[in-house]
Amino acid sequence: MLEDFLAEERRKVEQALEAVLPPEHLWPQELHRAMRYAVLAGGKRLRPILFRWGHALAGGNPEEVTFAACGVELIHTYSLVHDDLPAMDNDTLRRGKPTVHVVFGEALAILAGDALLTEGFRLLATYPQGERWAAGRGEVCRLLAEAVGSRGMVGGQVEDLQAMGKEPDPQRLQRLHLAKTAQFLAACLVAGAVLAGAPAETCNKLHRFGLQLGLAFQIADDLLDVTGCTEELGKTAGKDQIQDKLTYPKVYGLAASWQALQDLTGGLMVEAGELDPTGKLQALVEFVGRRRA
Ligand code: GRG
């Protein structure tokens, strides 16, 4: 049931991504090829799925927000393309394929990332179409801009780079994980709910839940970097240790990090059951807790 639900969600998102991405035969062809290569290379599609489920939980029809949800996947993919650049993590493998700068060159990778970020916000500002969604679209753009800007993901990326090689610091780690990963995931869930006209109380509840889910997601990511293999992850394993990144295992060790992940997902399962009696949010929590890639 869990696998079927997530597979079906992914299928719908992939289909919509295919439709919203600029076609390769249109000028500028090389840029569009790079954008499509990055986005259609695969990935879990967790952020658009959270967006759709935030909408469903607040009483909306998720099919109405799929194009908007594609916006967050484009924004996410821009961050991966830029993160892999030589000036940042300098990685050659992502989603099981050579990274964008390896295939298209560094300049085009920078520009493809820029275009994906811009196009992502264009989708959020455009969909769903129609006057009755206008206020919701504006609010969604605002809250996502906050989550991925200097006080969110980009700030987290700066902290990530600056914390390399420094002493383990639990407070800094928490701030880094919240900013780099959790705020964006939480904002995706809330954005869907905002488009369904959810009251502030519901949005706040989903935001708190999304932040915890984001922390669990990032702890799992830190653990997978140590325990996963490159083939399964689709990206180079063991890089955090090589680059001496500030991670959960670095601060707490492996056993305590596993325990923290179990504790967090245990609490999230209970909350997810309360927020969503259909069990689909619980399916997402379970996926985050036991993912292998
Ligand atoms: C370059 C502005 C800028 C930000 C980069 C997202 C990010 C910040 C860096 C990527 C590296 C990383 C470990 C980030 C933490 C968030 C995270 C685990 C991203 C990977 O997301 P997944 O696992 O990727 O959802 P897929 O490929 O499944 O979509």
Side-chain angles (χ1 to χ4, degrees), residues 30-150:
E30 187 74 347
L31 178 66
H32 290 163
R33 270 201 328 115
M35 290 164 75
R36 294 180 71 91
Y37 175 85
V39 176
L40 301 176
K44 297 177 283 296
R45 314 304 190 195
L46 182 62
R47 291 152 192 85
I49 295 175
L50 286 171
F51 194 117
R52 279 169 50 85
W53 279 101
H55 192 68
L57 287 176
N61 171 4
E63 309 317 329
E64 294 192 288
V65 298
T66 308
F67 280 178
C70 287
V72 299
E73 185 65 16
L74 265 50
I75 295 168
H76 166 58
T77 308
Y78 121 77
S79 77
L80 300 181
V81 173
H82 280 191
D83 184 65
D84 289 333
L85 287 167
M88 294 211 213
D89 269 10
N90 193 17
D91 223 318
T92 54
L93 192 70
R94 170 72 67 180
R95 292 173 163 175
K97 291 185 166 178
T99 43
V100 178
H101 67 270
V102 167
V103 179
F104 295 91
E106 214 175 319
L108 211 70
I110 293 170
L111 293 166
D114 293 340
L116 286 169
L117 172 63
T118 314
E119 186 64 11
F121 274 104
R122 190 189 70 79
L123 292 178
L124 292 168
T126 307
Y127 297 107
Q129 287 181 316
E131 200 43 42
R132 79 179 167 103
W133 303 92
R137 288 194 305 261
E139 174 60 9
V140 162
C141 286
R142 189 199 61 75
L143 75 89
L144 275 158
E146 232 168 60
V148 302
S150 67

Side-chain angles (χ1 to χ4, degrees), residues 181-239:
T181 310
Q183 283 192 35
F184 187 19
L185 288 176
C188 292
L189 194 61
V190 176
V194 163
L195 285 176
E201 195 192 330
T202 307
C203 292
N204 291 338
K205 223 185 258 181
L206 288 176
H207 192 249
R208 281 194 297 273
F209 177 87
L211 286 180
Q212 295 305 304
L213 185 71
L215 285 179
F217 183 84
Q218 188 56 54
I219 297 172
D221 204 74
D222 288 358
L223 281 163
L224 282 170
D225 185 78
V226 182
T227 61
C229 65
T230 299
E231 202 176 38
E232 212 172 356
L233 292 176
K235 60 182 179 181
T236 318
K239 286 222 42 198

